[in-house]
Amino acid sequence: MTDPLIALIAGILIIGFLSYIFWPNFGLSDKLKRWTQDTERVQIEDALKHLYDCEYRNISCTINSIAGNLSINADRAAKLVSRLEALGLLAIQGEVLQLTAQGRSYALRIIRVHRLWERYLADETSTKELDWHDIAEKQEHLFTPEQADKLAAQIGNPVYDPHGDPIPSSKGDLPTKKGKPLNEMLPGEFANIIHIEDEPPAIYSQILAQGLYPGMQIRVLEVSDKRIKFEANGEECVLSPIIAKNITVGIIQLEKQVEGKYKVLSSLKVGEKGTVLGIAKALRGQQRRRLMDLGIVPGTEIEAQLESLNRDPVAYKVRGAVIAIRKQQADRIYLESKESEKG
Amino acid sequence: MSNNALSNCADCPVHNLGNLKKLGVNMSNFDFAIALAGNPNTGKSTVFNYLTGLKQHTGNWPGKTVTRAEGGFEFNGKRFKLVDLPGTYSLLSTSTDEEIARDFILFGQPDVTVIVVDATRIERNLNLVIQILEITDRAIVCLNLMDEAKRNGIQIDDRILSKELGIPVIPTAARQGEGMTELTKMIFDVASGNFICKPHRIKSSSKELNAAIDVLIKEISAEFPNLPNTRWVALRLLEGDQSIIDAIRSGELGNIKGINTIEQSQLVIS
Amino acid sequence: MNNHNVNREAILAAANNLRWEVGENLHDTLMESIYENATAIARKAVIYPDKKPAFSFDRTLDKILTSKYFGFPLMLLILGAVFWVTIEGANIPSGLIASLLVDTLHPLLKNFTNSFMPWWLSGVLIDGAYLAMAWVVSVMLPPMAIFFPVYTLLEDFGYLPRVAFNMDPLYKKVGAHGKQALTMAMGFGCNAAGIVATRVIDSPREKLIAIITNNFSLCNGRWPTQILISTIFIGGIAPAYLTGLVSAAAVVFVAILGITFSLVVSWILSKTILRGEASAFSLELPPYRPPRILQTLYTSLIDRTIFVLWRAVIFAVPAGMVIWLAANITIDGVSIANHFINWANPFALIFGLNGVILLAYIIAIPANEIVIPTVLMLTVANLGLSSVGAGSGVMFELDSVADTASILHAGGWTLLTGINLMLFSLLHNPCSTTIYTIYKETKSVKWTLISTLLPIAMGFSVTFFVTQIWRLVVGS
Ligand SMILES: Nc1nc2c(ncn2[C@@H]2O[C@H](COP(=O)(O)OP(=O)(O)OP(=O)(O)O)[C@@H](O)[C@H]2O)c(=O)[nH]1
Ligand SMILES: [Mg+2]
């Protein structure tokens, strides 16, 4: 028999070596896989997405902006553009690059996969929010349209991604952009700039001078006949209504800023009662549906009854049943603040 | 209500449990298919075992049954196939056990759906009852665990409940076998059309939702005029339910036919 | 028809457009409406008692069973008690059944069949198939007839959800779902049942984790091995009056080790191939219900025990034939079994096991229940011990633990072999039924393979390190 010490060391070395090769994501085999991935396809698809994005936001797209977006040099970007044109995905009109119908539907397919994946990750997987985009960015190049349809079916054919962007249907339909002129907004509302009219040039340049661009998030502070005051990227801007009319915005329903103001369920001590006010939007998909199925809807009376180790999970009495919920969820269930009482 | 149920069945043979024959797994040539649905841990499998004489596992925790089980019994000369479904809190979410239950109630088209309800948690259970009543007209509430409700001092007026829901409500304690005769009778009556239900439908106060549903109902009933639960199909479409989408695409939805549409039903419940 | 298709697609398109319009709050609105309806109906039909009773049995019991200080110790105590009752209670009936089926019936059958069958046929049928079956019945029946009823009583009482409630903080830490505790508990009965029970877990990621780790809960097919080996090798060290307790403690230790492994593996999985954080968990704690003892006894005996036993017998019969054939067909004067054993021995020794054990685990892939009979039979055949049993390939009478012990000791087994066998019995591939169930539940070859190969890789690593460290510390 071999010396046990030598055997031990050999054993540890073998395990270390195997994990060096096969450890997911960091292991050699996964790295190798990544190196050999089809970079050209990825670049083509990323470029198409960028072009579509420009089109959707109504700004013009150039070779330079592609280079910037994909972080490649201008030379490569130029080559990429001519490749796209050769594939019939792109039409070049002077400086301006325009998607062909075929290119647009290709782009929409990629976007569909991307947004579906974000929805899936958000609803079904408990992946960290920060990781959604990166994972979706990878998957969008790997998924076929059929796989995308299957994923969609599995998660209930969602129509919005977790950021509120619409998911293109499998036929490439998107809802017509909804929005209204900036001057019709009310104070306190949040919105996204979705479109800036570039005619007449005089007004357009005034808007640009303010540093406004589509996709920017704004919050309206004050509206009157004479001026509209709003906050954009932390800076205050003032525009006259005539100019503001040329900016189209989409209202965003920011989640009620409830933190701090309202009690959360997890703050109930054993024996205390409360009335449910609502469930935070951050609880999505199945988690949210489950809670509602169990009867946690606005107006439900709820009482903390049992605590596990470290108060997580806690069992609550809800509509006659005792239901254990983790703190993570209980933190996101809001209670009416005044009505809490000792039970 | 019970008076009416009886008078409806004046020409039936005398009811007693002696007429019940447990058939075990023998389900050949059944006349009616009966589904057992309900929240988890309400005693569905206990009712199932009682009626069929089988030994489906029961256990005091939610989620004991995860696959569907079938068995048979005979009552008043009719043969019934009984299907024990996994317990679900809702039919609107998208998990495996719920799909089994939902698909069976919708596409399996049982002649009667017996909804086993926990008498000590009525509100939560009614959530499911209301959802099932959107799908099917022929349902019975089996108000189970009455012994526990009594012990906890909860009083339930099953007549009012029945009137509100528009379907029969039978108080039972399945473990002790109480109320099983009445339940079997009622299954017989509803299955053979002696008792006609007029089920409660969801009243929503959301204008937006109602408007969207109305649009869809119009479209759906143009294509599938015989569908008994158009409203529910519309709701599911709005939630993107894939099996409904598939059923529309393939036309399978057209196979679902209502037997007691509301127009035909006379008000039976006093 | 074509017209229909157009109409149908139009419905779907209309629905899609409306969905963009009504937005994401649809489900919330709907559920709120339904609950409004439900509340209104309940208000009319139900009268709740004005005052809550001052004392509630359920609440008080819950406070104790889930308390910070008593929750876990009580869980251990209950688990220990269940195993102890099983081990102590099964000992004598096992011996009785063995002496009836093996000592008495086997020679009778053998004589009877020998009178009209060729030697090899009666060998295959009686020394192979019949003895394997007799063995499985005597090892499995008594412990199961005790374990299943006791366990079902706990289940009916409503204790399992409390276990899940207590354990959830641990599962949360490793990125898994608290209901995994329920599926693990089902796994103590049978892993295939545990795998099916994972359907109660909503999140697909956490469901997969529960499926992959279910094998770490010691199923009933494996405790005969655990009980016997721990009685011989671990209980054997303790004074006689403590043997039962010490062996129960050893089995409980292995069971807990299994739970620990399941937690560690869950953690590794949620850091690597099943990356993610613990998601939601909601579990209804039902009221305690007094179990109906007689009915439970009846159902779990007649239904569960007989059912599981039947399955074991079905697998044991062909396995018994295979063993007999492997021990009796010779190449170059050495039986096939011995060829394999001798070939595998050096390799197995690195892991503190032996060729017999490896061969037994290959033969026992269909059902874990037959590991011990196979091990014993192969040991005898391998040693050519002619004084015990009736020759090659015969699974012989083991009505007393001492007999078994002497055979194993004769086969060169040490305390280390015993410990490693217990570990390997915990950590090896799931049985074929479980593998098939995993495939049916996941519908994926990849996850089935992972669930199958991961535990066995772990089994070899763990026994390897235990062996080498043991040799380093204790010397061999
Ligand atoms: N006291 C009392 N207990 C009952 C009654 N009916 C069922 N039980 C008990 O309630 C528990 C749950 O019963 P099951 O029949 O398993 O419930 P189920 O609805 O099939 O549950 P799932 O399969 O999990 O959906 C068991 O412990 C039964 O013994 C009853 O009428 N009274
Ligand atoms: Mg059940």
Side-chain angles (χ1 to χ4, degrees):
Chain A
M1 282 295 281
T2 46
D3 189 320
L5 202 61
I6 296 179
L8 269 180
I9 293 171
I12 292 172
L13 282 180
I14 290 176
I15 288 188
F17 179 71
L18 286 180
S19 42
Y20 171 66
I21 295 185
F22 292 112
W23 199 260
N25 289 324
F26 300 104
L28 216 53
S29 75
D30 271 14
K31 275 194 187 142
L32 219 67
K33 226 189 269 165
R34 240 171 289 149
W35 279 333
T36 50
Q37 224 174 35
D38 187 353
T39 47
E40 195 198 357
R41 175 172 164 195
V42 172
Q43 285 189 349
I44 286 182
E45 294 180 348
D46 283 344
L48 284 175
K49 250 182 9 174
H50 173 66
L51 284 160
Y52 184 81
D53 195 39
C54 294
E55 187 176 290
Y56 195 74
R57 299 196 328 202
N58 243 325
I59 51 180
S60 57
C61 182
T62 60
I63 290 181
N64 278 335
S65 73
I66 289 182
N69 190 274
L70 272 63
S71 28
I72 50 177
N73 61 32
D75 251 14
R76 267 213 70 112
K79 270 203 204 107
L80 192 60
V81 164
S82 43
R83 179 102 181 88
L84 284 171
E85 195 185 14
L87 288 170
L89 301 169
L90 179 81
I92 306 181
Q93 290 158 354
E95 273 284 283
V96 180
L97 308 174
Q98 274 256 294
L99 283 172
T100 61
Q102 197 192 346
R104 193 168 303 117
S105 93
Y106 193 162
L108 279 167
R109 232 158 54 209
I110 308 295
I111 291 170
R112 173 170 159 84
V113 177
H114 183 101
R115 294 186 179 163
L116 273 175
W117 258 90
E118 290 200 326
R119 183 88 247 176
Y120 167 72
L121 292 169
D123 282 6
E124 311 267 325
T125 65
S126 60
T127 315
K128 276 192 214 134
E129 186 159 351
L130 278 176
D131 294 339
W132 294 347
H133 183 80
D134 291 345
I135 298 177
E137 197 76 359
K138 248 180 242 150
Q139 292 296 339
E140 67 188 15
H141 305 300
L142 304 175
F143 252 49
T144 62
E146 291 74 37
Q147 281 172 312
D149 289 348
K150 235 167 133 189
L151 180 69
Q154 189 193 326
I155 56 177
N157 299 298
V159 284
Y160 287 101
D161 79 357
H163 309 299
D165 292 323
I167 299 174
S169 72
S170 55
K171 294 191 195 65
D173 296 330
L174 264 186
T176 39
K177 244 182 306 178
K178 269 190 290 185
K180 55 181 184 182
L182 177 57
N183 57 331
E184 287 175 18
M185 280 182 70
L186 301 173
E189 278 182 328
F190 287 85
N192 256 332
I193 299 182
I194 44 185
H195 179 70
I196 298 177
E197 187 57 54
D198 51 5
E199 296 278 319
I203 290 184
Y204 186 52
S205 61
Q206 276 194 53
I207 296 174
L208 289 188
Q210 292 271 359
L212 302 176
Y213 56 85
M216 198 175 213
Q217 208 184 85
I218 59 168
R219 185 163 76 104
V220 176
L221 302 171
E222 194 189 312
V223 186
S224 70
D225 290 350
K226 303 219 169 54
R227 58 181 200 162
I228 290 155
K229 200 158 102 183
F230 58 93
E231 198 181 83
N233 281 4
E235 279 176 46
E236 241 174 57
C237 303
V238 179
L239 289 178
S240 71
I242 303 171
I243 296 177
K245 217 170 66 191
N246 283 6
I247 301 177
T248 315
V249 295
I251 311 285
I252 26 185
Q253 302 294 339
L254 273 201
E255 191 182 314
K256 271 189 261 167
Q257 308 262 306
V258 272
E259 280 90 339
K261 260 208 228 153
Y262 291 90
K263 274 177 79 158
V264 288
L265 180 57
S266 56
S267 71
L268 287 187
K269 302 224 169 51
V270 168
E272 285 180 346
K273 281 185 195 165
T275 305
V276 175
L277 183 71
I279 304 176
K281 278 276 179 285
L283 283 182
R284 302 184 172 83
Q286 192 76 12
Q287 313 187 11
R288 185 184 190 82
R289 290 196 291 264
R290 263 285 166 264
L291 290 175
M292 304 194 86
D293 290 344
L294 290 169
I296 301 180
V297 294
T300 303
E301 286 238 349
I302 196 163
E303 177 189 341
Q305 203 163 73
L306 270 186
E307 289 174 352
S308 193
L309 283 176
N310 294 329
R311 309 200 56 217
D312 183 14
V314 173
Y316 299 92
K317 185 133 197 161
V318 186
R319 297 185 188 255
V322 182
I323 289 163
I325 300 174
R326 282 184 178 161
K327 183 168 186 306
Q328 202 184 339
Q329 279 87 254
D331 279 341
R332 294 179 166 140
I333 297 171
Y334 301 118
L335 300 182
E336 283 171 18
S337 47
K338 37 194 186 314
E339 278 185 9
S340 67
E341 68 213 64
K342 259 286 198 247
Chain B
M1 174 212 81
S2 43
N3 277 339
N4 259 317
L6 277 181
S7 61
N8 264 334
C9 199
D11 48 344
C12 297
V14 186
H15 294 297
N16 60 51
L17 212 54
N19 290 340
L20 173 71
K21 212 155 86 202
K22 307 180 181 192
L23 296 176
V25 288
N26 177 7
M27 290 162 280
S28 51
N29 312 319
F30 62 88
D31 300 297
F32 299 110
I34 315 295
L36 276 173
N39 276 189
N41 208 32
T42 52
K44 294 177 294 301
S45 301
T46 311
V47 171
F48 177 86
N49 288 347
Y50 191 96
L51 292 178
T52 61
L54 289 174
K55 294 272 176 304
Q56 173 77 350
H57 289 183
T58 63
N60 190 11
W61 57 284
K64 179 73 200 181
T65 311
V66 283
T67 48
R68 82 178 215 223
E70 301 183 351
F73 68 92
E74 195 181 305
F75 184 75
N76 278 349
K78 293 280 184 206
R79 294 167 78 88
F80 294 82
K81 179 175 91 170
L82 193 60
V83 181
D84 185 19
L85 295 171
T88 68
Y89 288 112
S90 161
L91 299 177
L92 299 171
S93 300
T94 43
S95 62
T96 335
D97 44 346
E98 276 171 19
E99 244 156 65
I100 294 177
R102 204 272 321 273
D103 285 353
F104 188 79
I105 299 173
L106 182 65
F107 298 112
Q109 297 194 61
D111 295 289
V112 181
T113 304
V114 176
I115 313 168
V116 182
V117 160
D118 180 345
T120 61
R121 296 151 168 69
I122 287 255
E123 285 176 29
R124 221 262 318 283
N125 280 257
L126 280 181
N127 158 38
L128 182 73
V129 175
I130 291 173
Q131 291 180 25
I132 293 179
L133 291 187
E134 286 288 318
I135 305 183
T136 172
D137 288 347
R138 303 228 247 172
I140 299 173
V141 164
C142 163
L143 193 58
N144 196 28
L145 294 153
M146 279 306 280
D147 53 326
E148 286 190 1
K150 282 205 192 91
R151 214 176 39 243
N152 292 325
I154 300 171
Q155 296 167 33
I156 303 166
D157 190 328
D158 52 300
R159 297 186 41 159
I160 298 186
L161 197 58
S162 164
K163 200 167 145 192
E164 289 291 322
L165 291 172
I167 56 170
V169 173
I170 312 287
T172 62
R175 197 156 125 158
Q176 289 78 355
E178 284 163 28
M180 286 295 138
T181 322
E182 291 78 5
L183 181 65
T184 330
K185 262 189 251 170
M186 193 48 83
I187 291 175
F188 179 89
D189 284 348
V190 175
S192 49
N194 295 337
F195 188 105
I196 291 169
C197 309
K198 188 176 182 300
H200 169 98
R201 296 285 150 129
I202 302 174
K203 296 169 195 75
S204 173
S205 49
S206 158
K207 272 191 212 115
E208 222 182 2
L209 179 60
N210 288 335
I213 291 178
D214 287 343
V215 173
L216 272 186
I217 286 184
K218 215 177 280 163
E219 299 240 359
I220 297 168
S221 40
E223 175 69 14
F224 301 102
N226 292 327
L227 202 63
N229 37 25
T230 319
R231 219 172 90 96
W232 190 78
V233 170
L235 267 174
R236 291 315 292 157
L237 275 185
L238 286 177
E239 292 221 54
D241 185 321
Q242 187 64 31
S243 45
I244 302 291
I245 295 179
D246 290 342
I248 287 193
R249 221 170 242 145
S250 68
E252 193 193 336
L253 204 63
N255 300 337
I256 299 177
K257 287 198 182 70
I259 304 140
N260 303 328
T261 44
I262 298 176
E263 289 79 47
Q264 302 166 339
S265 64
Q266 326 90 345
L267 196 72
V268 189
I269 295 161
S270 54
Chain C
M1 194 60 228
N2 219 348
N3 204 1
H4 277 302
N5 279 342
V6 173
N7 288 346
R8 288 171 194 162
E9 290 302 324
I11 297 176
L12 297 179
N16 220 42
N17 281 334
L18 284 169
R19 291 182 70 201
W20 270 316
E21 223 127 276
V22 283
E24 287 187 286
N25 287 332
L26 172 77
H27 190 83
D28 289 25
T29 317
L30 187 57
M31 285 307 291
E32 281 164 30
S33 310
I34 293 177
Y35 266 107
E36 259 165 42
N37 287 210
T39 316
I41 295 175
R43 197 171 295 140
K44 286 185 200 157
V46 187
I47 304 170
Y48 291 98
D50 299 338
K51 277 201 197 100
K52 256 192 281 176
F55 173 80
S56 151
F57 172 76
D58 276 42
R59 266 203 198 201
T60 317
L61 193 57
D62 264 339
K63 287 245 160 73
I64 299 167
L65 287 181
T66 65
S67 87
K68 225 193 221 160
Y69 303 107
F70 301 123
F72 272 84
L74 275 173
M75 252 161 31
L76 284 185
L77 204 69
I78 291 172
L79 189 68
V82 170
F83 276 111
W84 182 73
V85 167
T86 309
I87 290 176
E88 284 289 314
N91 215 346
I92 294 167
S94 265
L96 286 178
I97 295 179
S99 75
L100 173 72
L101 291 182
V102 184
D103 287 357
T104 319
L105 268 180
H106 175 246
L108 284 179
L109 280 170
K110 185 80 183 164
N111 282 338
F112 173 66
T113 50
N114 267 346
S115 62
F116 64 94
M117 281 182 193
W119 70 273
W120 56 268
L121 187 58
S122 98
V124 168
L125 290 183
I126 306 301
D127 294 340
Y130 171 76
L131 267 185
M133 186 200 82
W135 229 102
V136 161
V137 171
S138 63
V139 204
M140 300 268 311
L141 181 57
M144 281 190 337
I146 299 174
F147 177 86
F148 276 140
V150 174
Y151 192 80
T152 314
L153 287 180
L154 274 181
E155 187 185 338
D156 268 353
F157 181 56
Y159 185 56
L160 293 192
R162 274 72 190 183
V163 172
F165 184 70
N166 283 339
M167 301 272 292
D168 181 62
L170 297 179
Y171 283 106
K172 191 194 161 200
K173 278 226 174 72
V174 301
H177 198 282
K179 285 186 186 167
Q180 195 170 319
L182 291 176
T183 65
M184 295 285 292
M186 289 288 102
F188 279 129
C190 166
N191 289 136
I195 304 278
V196 177
T198 58
R199 292 190 188 171
V200 297
I201 299 176
D202 288 329
S203 142
R205 187 188 74 89
E206 282 148 37
K207 183 177 160 180
L208 265 178
I209 291 181
I211 288 179
I212 294 172
T213 57
N214 195 269
N215 191 38
F216 297 119
S217 67
L218 210 56
C219 72
N220 70 66
R222 291 183 271 171
W223 356 292
T225 313
Q226 298 287 344
I227 291 174
L228 192 74
I229 299 295
S230 77
T231 313
I232 292 175
F233 288 98
I234 297 171
I237 315 173
Y241 63 95
L242 281 180
T243 306
L245 265 184
V246 171
S247 357
V251 177
V252 170
F253 176 79
V254 173
I256 291 173
L257 198 65
I259 296 171
T260 315
F261 274 124
S262 84
L263 287 168
V264 172
V265 171
S266 303
W267 180 80
I268 294 177
L269 287 174
S270 30
K271 289 280 168 240
T272 56
I273 40 177
L274 286 169
R275 194 195 300 260
E277 283 168 36
S279 69
F281 161 80
S282 51
L283 172 71
E284 183 170 356
L285 301 176
Y288 292 103
R289 293 188 169 126
R292 284 164 305 169
I293 297 181
L294 283 182
Q295 178 146 2
T296 307
L297 278 181
Y298 176 80
T299 22
S300 50
L301 273 181
I302 299 307
D303 187 47
R304 276 227 231 180
T305 310
I306 300 297
F307 174 81
V308 175
L309 194 66
W310 178 239
R311 180 189 107 96
V313 167
I314 286 185
F315 283 112
V317 167
M321 294 185 182
V322 167
I323 296 166
W324 190 89
L325 290 172
N328 282 279
I329 297 176
T330 54
I331 301 171
D332 300 333
V334 180
S335 71
I336 301 181
N338 276 1
H339 271 298
F340 179 88
I341 292 168
N342 295 336
W343 171 78
N345 254 332
F347 170 73
L349 275 181
I350 304 176
F351 304 99
L353 301 166
N354 55 42
V356 168
I357 297 178
L358 289 191
L359 181 53
Y361 270 100
I362 293 173
I363 295 177
I365 286 177
N368 283 296
E369 292 86 337
I370 56 177
V371 163
I372 280 291
T374 313
V375 162
L376 291 171
M377 185 241 110
L378 288 171
T379 309
V380 173
N382 181 246
L383 293 173
L385 289 178
S386 52
S387 60
V388 251
S392 310
V394 179
M395 293 186 185
F396 43 83
E397 56 271 41
L398 287 158
D399 42 344
S400 78
V401 172
D403 278 358
T404 321
S406 63
I407 288 160
L408 291 180
H409 286 305
W413 288 49
T414 59
L415 176 56
L416 177 62
T417 323
I419 291 176
N420 277 332
L421 177 54
M422 287 175 80
L423 288 173
F424 195 71
S425 147
L426 175 69
L427 300 171
H428 70 87
N429 56 286
C431 71
S432 55
T433 317
T434 308
I435 296 177
Y436 177 61
T437 313
I438 294 175
Y439 179 73
K440 269 202 313 200
E441 286 298 311
T442 58
K443 294 192 189 73
S444 141
V445 176
K446 177 183 158 198
W447 294 116
T448 313
L449 275 178
I450 289 179
S451 325
T452 309
L453 298 180
L454 185 79
I456 198 159
M458 287 181 60
F460 279 121
S461 324
V462 168
T463 49
F464 172 81
F465 283 105
V466 167
T467 306
Q468 301 306 334
I469 291 173
W470 180 282
R471 287 175 59 207
L472 201 63
V473 178
V474 185
S476 56

